[in-house]
Amino acid sequence: MTEHIQTLIAGSWRDASGPRYVTEYPADGSQVATLHAATADDVDQAVRAAEAARLRPDWAGLKPHERGAILTRIAAGIRARAEELAQLQRLDNGKPINETRALVASAAGTFQFFAAACETMEDTITPSRGDYVSMSVHEPLGVVGAITPWNSPIASEAQKLAPALAAGCAVVFKPAEITPRMAIELARIAQQASVPDGILSVVPGKGSVVGDALVRHPLIRRIAFTGGTTVGLGIARLAAERLMPTSLELGGKSPTIVCADADLDHAVAGVLYGIFSSSGESCIAGSRAFVHASVYEAFKERLLAGVRALRVGDPASERTQMGPLVSQAHRESVERYVQLGVDEGGKVLAGGQRPTGAGYDRGSYYLPTVIEGLPNQARMCQEEIFGPVLALLPWTDEADLIAQCNDSVFGLASGIWTNDYKTAWRIGAALQTGTVWINTYKLFSVSTPFGGVKMSGTGREKGRLGILEYTNQKSYYWGMNAAPLPWSR
């Protein structure tokens, strides 16, 4: 039975004012939930309620340790509903259940981390250069607009909501239209954890309507966005008109480098995980594998054996490694890119098609795909596919390798497989990416900042200082001079 869900807007659980729509389970196309899309008027109500709520004593008057206690309760609320939330996210976007369980655990850990961080943040007494005491303090920015993607909703939402609440801000969330459930459930958990009414609202719907209204609203003081580069650029343009700070985690075309001395078993396992986990629907997917010519054939043989062994299937099964893509339309986009790669001269070594059989017919499944024979300048090697498609490229000269890796508008992440620490450091230092993984891939810690360079975005999330992204810095000078200021004499 399809469930009808309401959302939290301006302190009230209700239907949004826009048209009713349906979310579908990518594994079989069945209807999961119905809800109403928000309108620009809903956004305005949510933002104005957030502005009023953030100034009330029951929020503005809280000490850092009291906000930390609320975040701790949110973490506990997530853990208490962990399996339920994991199953709901599986239904939202078709990720395998083991992966959604890990994302839920990550979200709880994020709230726990920022609960501790907000209690231990310190303002600064700065060195005096005269008869005064000077200090620097941080104050909450105000109302934050948070816009999150469909591929890892609960983790992305926690990474924005936790530091914003820790800083003392209010948040209006715009989740991806097709995966609204995690933001709505986080709002429910936050309310049960004593977050005051109005501090958090969720406005689901189309980015062109809801997202645009959120970015343009005059009371929004910051936009935290994770999503596609094209949308991110539009947000940056609008934000620039108001000198509004943003954090933009955008696309990627991440290179992974296999050196001649690499442990091939480790490298193959890492490359497989880097591109095919999450069905490749990940901004940091290692979609370009540069393999040293001396080990290219041996690596390719082991890689293809690993691809053939991957278990593609029902996201509800704990054995599944790759579930469906998020929608039929997205699968068609991935298929167009694979055909483009073939048209550009590439050779499909594995995959390149939909799986067949009764278990796959109604879902948006696509096989893990490996293509070789393309130059790095090919569109398939330059544009983000956001799917399970790996380009395999040989290399011999290190300088040329680095040039090819950096020959991309993106700069989100990269991986290096080598047993020589000097090689790892030298190449890592030369790569233009926000994250470098060495002899591993796709590992994250909430304690370590994350973000990209170039067209992969600006700003950083996570890390103890991530709270400061949601604050204004203010300076104070306390005069200690015994005599009046001399200028007026």
Side-chain angles (χ1 to χ4, degrees):
M1 181 177 179
T2 304
E3 181 183 6
H4 181 74
I5 55 177
Q6 294 184 317
T7 188
L8 181 63
I9 299 177
S12 175
W13 287 97
R14 63 175 178 85
D15 288 331
S17 306
R20 176 180 172 273
Y21 72 97
V22 177
T23 66
E24 296 181 349
Y25 183 32
D28 59 16
S30 61
Q31 294 186 357
V32 175
T34 64
L35 69 160
H36 285 262
T39 63
D41 184 59
D42 290 324
V43 172
D44 182 62
Q45 291 180 42
V47 174
R48 293 187 183 280
E51 177 67 11
R54 78 176 185 89
L55 298 173
R56 291 197 304 261
D58 63 347
W59 187 247
L62 292 181
K63 301 294 189 292
H65 73 280
E66 293 171 322
R67 291 199 302 271
I70 290 175
L71 267 65
T72 298
R73 290 197 292 272
I74 295 174
I78 293 171
R79 292 184 177 116
R81 296 180 56 195
E83 183 62 20
E84 176 194 0
L85 293 172
Q87 297 290 353
L88 288 174
Q89 180 157 333
R90 171 181 65 84
L91 293 172
D92 247 5
N93 66 0
K95 283 199 169 188
I97 186 61
N98 286 334
E99 188 170 341
T100 62
R101 285 171 180 155
L103 291 170
V104 170
S106 172
T110 296
F111 280 96
Q112 192 74 56
F113 176 86
F114 281 108
C118 76
E119 281 202 62
T120 56
M121 295 294 294
E122 295 179 349
D123 288 321
T124 307
I125 300 294
T126 56
S128 174
R129 299 176 68 87
D131 293 331
Y132 56 82
V133 174
S134 53
M135 64 182 68
S136 174
V137 302
H138 293 87
E139 299 175 341
L141 269 175
V143 183
V144 174
I147 304 175
T148 52
W150 49 256
N151 61 324
S152 298
I154 194 168
S156 294
E157 285 147 7
Q159 288 165 21
K160 294 168 175 54
L161 181 58
L165 293 181
C169 294
V171 180
V172 178
F173 253 121
K174 190 276 174 201
E177 180 185 17
I178 59 176
T179 57
R181 195 59 176 271
M182 290 297 98
I184 292 172
E185 295 307 316
L186 273 180
R188 196 181 313 279
I189 292 169
Q191 190 179 57
Q192 292 167 350
S194 302
V195 172
D197 288 346
I199 289 296
L200 175 60
S201 289
V202 181
V203 283
K206 292 185 178 297
S208 57
V209 176
V210 182
D212 187 71
L214 193 59
V215 175
R216 292 179 184 274
H217 200 287
L219 293 178
I220 290 291
R221 295 291 179 256
R222 188 179 197 279
I223 290 291
F225 172 79
T226 298
T229 298
T230 300
V231 176
L233 286 172
I235 290 172
R237 293 187 190 99
L238 291 173
E241 294 176 2
R242 296 174 47 207
L243 294 180
M244 179 173 63
T246 61
S247 61
L248 305 172
E249 186 205 318
L250 309 178
K253 196 68 182 178
S254 301
T256 53
I257 299 165
V258 180
C259 297
D261 67 336
D263 183 314
L264 292 190
D265 289 336
H266 281 252
V268 166
V271 170
L272 287 170
Y273 178 64
I275 181 59
F276 297 127
S277 62
S278 304
S279 298
E281 294 172 323
S282 172
C283 55
I284 47 83
S287 52
R288 294 184 293 158
F290 292 88
V291 183
H292 194 273
S294 65
V295 295
Y296 183 87
E297 292 300 327
F299 177 89
K300 181 171 72 173
E301 180 180 355
R302 298 188 197 192
L303 178 76
L304 295 178
V307 170
R308 289 189 290 269
L310 290 176
R311 297 182 296 276
V312 180
D314 182 2
S317 169
E318 295 188 358
R319 296 189 70 256
T320 295
Q321 294 168 287
M322 274 184 57
L325 299 181
V326 73
S327 67
Q328 302 284 354
H330 185 57
R331 178 172 65 178
E332 291 170 2
S333 173
V334 172
E335 288 174 325
R336 286 193 293 271
Y337 267 110
V338 172
Q339 184 58 53
L340 174 63
V342 172
D343 294 343
E344 290 178 305
K347 178 183 178 182
V348 175
L349 301 178
Q353 60 187 355
R354 305 176 183 185
T356 57
Y360 302 112
D361 289 347
R362 292 186 298 165
S364 48
Y365 292 92
Y366 196 75
L367 289 173
T369 299
V370 179
I371 297 181
E372 72 172 352
L374 289 169
N376 187 57
Q377 293 75 27
R379 282 183 60 191
M380 210 204 78
C381 296
Q382 290 291 318
E383 299 177 15
E384 186 176 40
I385 300 174
F386 220 67
V389 182
L390 175 68
L392 207 54
L393 303 101
W395 68 276
T396 53
D397 178 74
E398 186 178 302
D400 181 61
L401 164 74
I402 292 169
Q404 289 191 72
C405 289
N406 290 338
D407 181 18
S408 171
V409 297
F410 299 110
L412 193 56
S414 55
I416 305 169
W417 300 89
T418 177
N419 284 318
D420 186 340
Y421 73 93
K422 292 182 179 180
T423 297
W425 184 261
R426 184 175 63 249
I427 294 177
L431 293 175
Q432 298 168 358
T433 62
T435 295
V436 179
W437 285 291
I438 298 171
N439 293 330
T440 188
Y441 203 84
K442 215 175 180 182
L443 292 183
F444 291 104
S445 169
V446 66
S447 63
T448 305
F450 176 77
V453 299
K454 299 192 286 189
M455 297 296 279
S456 287
T458 62
R460 292 295 182 268
E461 290 189 330
K462 305 184 186 181
R464 180 172 171 271
L465 299 182
I467 296 174
L468 300 185
E469 296 278 341
Y470 296 90
T471 65
N472 281 316
Q473 194 168 14
K474 179 183 287 185
S475 297
Y476 283 87
Y477 292 83
W478 294 71
M480 297 295 174
N481 44 302
L485 292 173
W487 182 83
S488 59
R489 292 177 185 172

